[in-house]
Amino acid sequence: VAIVFVVSGLWHGANWTFLAWGGLHALYMVVSLSTASTRQRILTATKFDRIPYLHSAWQWAVTFALVNIAWIFFCADSIGDAFTALATLPTGWESRAFSLIDGTVHFGTARIPSNEFLVALVSIGILEAAHVLQRWGSVRALINRQWLIVRWFIYSVALWALFLFGVYDDQSEFIYFVF
């Protein structure tokens, strides 16, 4: 398992940052597999397993945090830059305000056009809704049970989303073309 993750890091490029990214994922998996029984005993002893939604949220949050830490290495220009980013991550939160000014969402020093922010939020909502629907049964079966006009509305919204969210300029390149 560890070898697969390290090799996947090397596959992205011959840079220490990619190796660190793959190595961190390997470390996460090795630790997860080797501590599974201990974590299960703790879960049972604390009765945390009796609250499945809270337990699921905890697992999601830990996974999200660990993967994002690894992505710092993936996106950094050097290992030093990654450690600098990690070291400065917990600082300056008092100046990081979330606000909407002049058509952009300001979060700290990041400026995101509000339409892109809205698209991201709507996309997350759609994905979460699809996840919930999949628990109830097939999304395709659910759509097929709808009236013809409702089905075509769903198809139209999906097609509209492709046109709206798609990137059609020559300057944006598929991310893996650079590897």
Side-chain angles (χ1 to χ4, degrees):
V1 171
I3 291 170
V4 168
F5 279 103
V6 171
V7 168
S8 71
L10 286 174
W11 178 80
H12 283 88
N15 191 341
W16 286 107
T17 57
F18 298 127
L19 188 62
W21 174 80
L24 278 172
H25 280 87
L27 177 69
Y28 298 158
M29 285 303 297
V30 167
V31 169
S32 176
L33 293 172
S34 63
T35 63
S37 61
T38 303
R39 288 182 292 114
Q40 184 58 44
R41 283 195 304 273
I42 292 170
L43 186 67
T44 305
T46 60
K47 298 182 170 102
F48 200 50
D49 57 346
R50 293 185 181 179
I51 312 169
Y53 293 110
L54 188 58
H55 180 235
S56 179
W58 171 255
Q59 289 176 314
W60 179 87
V62 169
T63 301
F64 185 78
L66 292 174
V67 168
N68 278 295
I69 288 170
W71 275 101
I72 290 172
F73 285 89
F74 188 89
C75 295
D77 291 329
S78 69
I79 293 289
D81 287 350
F83 281 116
T84 300
L86 287 172
T88 59
L89 193 61
T91 62
W93 284 96
E94 63 278 356
S95 65
R96 296 183 186 187
F98 177 83
S99 62
L100 183 61
I101 303 170
D102 299 333
T104 58
V105 175
H106 295 262
F107 183 75
T109 58
R111 295 180 57 161
I112 306 164
S114 58
N115 58 344
E116 291 179 15
F117 186 71
L118 179 63
V119 166
L121 287 179
V122 169
S123 299
I124 290 169
I126 290 170
L127 290 173
E128 286 302 316
H131 179 72
V132 168
L133 288 173
Q134 285 176 340
R135 287 186 178 180
W136 293 340
S138 168
V139 174
R140 177 182 284 171
L142 181 70
I143 291 172
N144 286 339
R145 286 195 303 260
Q146 302 302 317
W147 296 333
L148 182 65
I149 193 163
V150 173
R151 281 200 312 264
W152 278 102
F153 175 75
I154 293 169
Y155 300 148
S156 300
V157 167
L159 188 60
W160 176 78
L162 286 174
F163 289 126
L164 179 68
F165 302 148
V167 179
Y168 303 106
D169 58 358
D170 293 336
Q171 296 166 342
S172 62
E173 196 172 352
F174 182 58
I175 188 169
Y176 285 107
F177 287 161
V178 298
F179 295 111

